[in-house]
Amino acid sequence: ITLHINNKEDIGKITAKIQVINKESVVTFIAETSETKQLLQNHVAHLKEIFNESNISLGQTHIEQHNQRQKQD
């Protein structure tokens, strides 16, 4: 599953790629800005709680930053 989340301009877009195998998940978050990447890193524990509430064990979590914004002239 790949989710594209459009947020306010100040934090940019977030893409979440989720793979679930035997109720064990591997999640890769791709943030558009370094600030958003830091925000996600600071809240990994909360994200794990959310997954646990859905009976999905958050196994591996990867957080990356790729700038996808295009400058407009």
Side-chain angles (χ1 to χ4, degrees):
I1 298 172
T2 301
L3 304 172
H4 300 282
I5 304 163
N6 293 319
N7 292 304
K8 296 178 183 177
E9 279 295 315
D10 56 337
I11 65 171
K13 295 178 185 174
I14 300 169
T15 299
K17 296 181 181 180
I18 306 167
Q19 293 180 299
V20 179
I21 303 169
N22 297 325
K23 290 201 174 194
E24 179 86 9
S25 64
V26 177
V27 181
T28 302
F29 292 100
I30 303 170
E32 188 174 51
T33 67
S34 59
E35 293 86 1
T36 303
K37 178 184 175 187
Q38 186 65 45
L39 180 69
L40 289 167
Q41 289 173 330
N42 291 342
H43 291 88
V44 168
H46 182 67
L47 293 169
K48 288 183 178 186
E49 290 176 19
I50 292 169
F51 275 78
N52 284 335
E53 290 173 4
S54 298
N55 294 321
I56 299 172
S57 174
L58 187 59
Q60 298 180 25
T61 305
H62 307 280
I63 301 174
E64 304 172 3
Q65 189 247 322
H66 300 280
N67 189 348
Q68 299 172 349
R69 289 187 184 181
Q70 295 180 3
K71 293 183 180 178
Q72 296 177 355
D73 294 325

